[in-house]
Amino acid sequence: MKGLIVSAPASGSGKTTVTLGLIAALRARGLVVQPFKSGPDYIDPAFHRAAAGRESFNLDSWAMGRAQIAHLIGAADGADIALAEGSMGLFDGVARAGGCGNGASADIAALTGWPVLLVMDCKGQAQSAAAVALGFREMRRDVPLAGVVLNRVASARHEALMRQAFDQLAIPVLGVLPREAGIELPERHLGLVQAQEHAALGALLTAAGAAAARHLDLDAIVAAAAGGIAAEPFRPLPPPADRIALAQDDAFSFVYPHLLAGWRAAGATILPFSPLADQAPDDSAGACWLPGGYPELHAGRLAAADRFRDGLRRFAETRPVHGECGGYMAMGAGLVDAQGTRHEMAGLLGLETSYAQRRMHLGYRRAEPLAGLYRQPLAGHEFHYATILAQPDEPLARVADANGDAVPETGSRRGPATGSFFHLIGAAP
């Protein structure tokens, strides 16, 4: 599948805006667009899915090997073009390489041969933007640069000055977005507001598509798509049970689509339920999975959801229940919200967490489970602001960061109940 990587020199340059606009504009032309996201992220792929009408899969050069990346790209067949949104800056990753790279979007570009469409925030600079792009073109010769999209351009004169500089370097300018394009996305402490929470998502995607059609050279961008990667044999992680009760609502939505696809491909049935709607896990399930999300924003409702908490406790008497990050906190004894109010959680574990004094925990993780649903080494990541007040149960795993240094967030286990701040990506490559 031919494709492009939509990347940038830094976060906040407009990658998501350009990616969504391109998806919407190309889809309006009748093209089938397959979206991807480089690196660990839940928020952007949900917007991709809404724009493309197809699931967006994460591609991660630290947490995945070449075979898994090729498998995910090959499984998303039937598309005319792939668009992969990068993370942070194009070359940004960790210090020590993992599966097939250090997590940088440039690794995915080199592996797939997909050229980079570089989105540049041009506020406060003119010809200097061309010098930045030149450095990105020369940094790694195995990472082809398709061209640039100039974002937040102030005037026609501003554009003319930059175009002249880019022409001298033979770097194609494939689009120019004016400063008043007006298609920015709202944010909160873990990134963008979730797609399903966006009241005017359809209108925003329509506006993004119209802006892309008006300001980007869609013909040249489609023509610049190239590359592809041959499929390789790969076996995803097996499902934790034949029937899996999966919490899914605004408080629990962070589960990677490739994990669910792998479980379904192995014959598992996914049984969604909503804790916020006070629903208990399906009693026919053999395991219950509580994903991450934003339980801290809904702690009062979760504390009042007696049917959910009682049903979860009964389920855990005979079958495994696992929580990731937000799900882990909901399985704990209590959660203190940002205003300092403590809310009682399910009590399957002794974990106590607080958002009254926030501290960021961020980065890749490698886990060696001591118990639980999976026993082989696992690759994943941690991303939350919660402070642990108490974690009295037995540790779930030995956990290390990308440098191999041990981290104290080991997770917890108590009988068949397990939980961790670790977001699972897959088996460690």
Side-chain angles (χ1 to χ4, degrees):
M1 189 189 309
K2 292 182 178 180
L4 291 164
I5 303 277
V6 182
S7 191
S11 295
S13 300
K15 296 188 301 291
T16 302
T17 298
V18 170
T19 300
L20 294 178
L22 275 174
I23 292 172
L26 295 180
R27 192 178 181 192
R29 283 190 167 195
L31 295 180
V32 178
V33 182
Q34 175 58 55
F36 295 97
K37 173 67 181 184
S38 174
D41 186 288
Y42 294 104
I43 302 293
D44 292 340
F47 281 93
H48 297 170
R49 180 176 65 244
R54 294 169 67 96
E55 199 67 73
S56 179
F57 293 101
N58 297 75
L59 308 174
D60 194 302
S61 70
W62 187 90
M64 299 176 178
R66 177 188 172 95
Q68 184 175 6
I69 291 171
H71 168 79
L72 290 173
I73 294 172
D77 58 0
D80 298 306
I81 186 172
L83 288 179
E85 181 182 348
S87 58
M88 300 187 294
L90 176 61
F91 300 108
D92 296 332
V94 294
R96 184 180 296 183
C100 57
N102 71 343
S105 304
D107 294 332
I108 303 299
L111 186 67
T112 60
W114 293 341
V116 172
L117 183 63
L118 194 68
V119 181
M120 306 190 69
D121 182 355
C122 298
K123 182 180 178 181
Q125 62 178 331
Q127 290 96 327
S128 295
V132 173
L134 177 63
F136 274 76
R137 185 178 70 183
E138 300 300 317
M139 179 79 171
R140 282 181 58 172
R141 301 314 297 265
D142 62 340
V143 178
L145 181 65
V148 299
V149 170
L150 307 180
N151 193 20
R152 301 189 180 106
V153 175
S155 64
R157 178 177 177 274
H158 188 195
E159 176 183 343
L161 289 171
M162 289 188 290
R163 281 189 178 275
Q164 182 182 40
F166 279 99
D167 287 346
Q168 291 173 353
L169 299 174
I171 296 176
V173 175
L174 299 179
V176 178
L177 287 169
R179 189 178 296 172
E180 68 277 5
I183 49 175
E184 299 297 322
L185 298 170
E187 298 188 5
R188 69 156 63 106
H189 64 274
L190 289 183
L192 299 171
V193 172
Q194 297 180 91
Q196 67 266 28
E197 298 178 281
H198 205 298
L201 181 57
L204 184 143
L205 293 175
T206 298
R214 187 164 59 251
H215 298 294
L216 307 184
D217 189 341
L218 298 182
D219 291 333
I221 289 172
V222 171
I229 184 171
E232 298 184 19
F234 175 76
R235 179 175 294 180
L237 276 175
D242 291 336
R243 295 172 65 81
I244 306 163
L246 178 71
Q248 284 285 269
D249 55 29
D250 286 349
F252 305 99
S253 61
F254 293 165
V255 60
Y256 283 116
H258 69 265
L259 286 178
L260 300 184
W263 292 349
R264 289 190 175 104
T269 300
I270 308 297
L271 304 167
F273 70 99
S274 171
L276 288 181
D278 203 11
Q279 296 173 354
D282 194 304
D283 197 49
S284 70
C288 179
W289 193 278
L290 300 176
Y294 293 108
E296 70 276 14
L297 301 181
H298 308 277
R301 289 178 63 186
L302 292 173
D306 293 333
R307 187 181 297 109
F308 157 65
R309 292 191 299 153
D310 292 344
L312 191 68
R313 290 164 184 160
R314 287 194 302 272
F315 192 100
E317 290 174 359
T318 57
R319 287 152 293 177
V321 176
H322 180 72
E324 286 191 332
C325 198
Y328 178 36
M329 290 186 277
M331 289 175 65
L335 188 158
V336 179
D337 64 23
Q339 289 71 44
T341 302
R342 183 187 182 276
H343 302 272
E344 184 180 353
M345 294 290 105
L348 299 184
L349 299 167
L351 179 74
E352 292 270 357
T353 50
S354 173
Y355 280 84
Q357 295 181 339
R358 301 192 318 165
R359 187 170 74 86
M360 177 181 278
H361 303 258
L362 170 67
Y364 285 119
R365 300 289 185 262
R366 188 181 193 275
E368 296 180 0
L370 303 170
L373 296 170
Y374 293 109
R375 297 300 178 93
Q376 71 266 52
L378 303 171
H381 65 99
E382 186 177 350
F383 185 19
H384 66 93
Y385 284 86
T387 297
I388 297 175
L389 302 179
Q391 191 174 251
D393 300 307
E394 290 294 312
L396 175 61
R398 289 186 291 268
V399 184
D401 63 17
N403 292 324
D405 298 325
V407 298
E409 291 81 16
T410 60
S412 304
R413 54 188 165 112
R414 180 189 292 179
T418 59
S420 172
F421 283 106
F422 180 91
H423 287 286
L424 176 63
I425 294 175

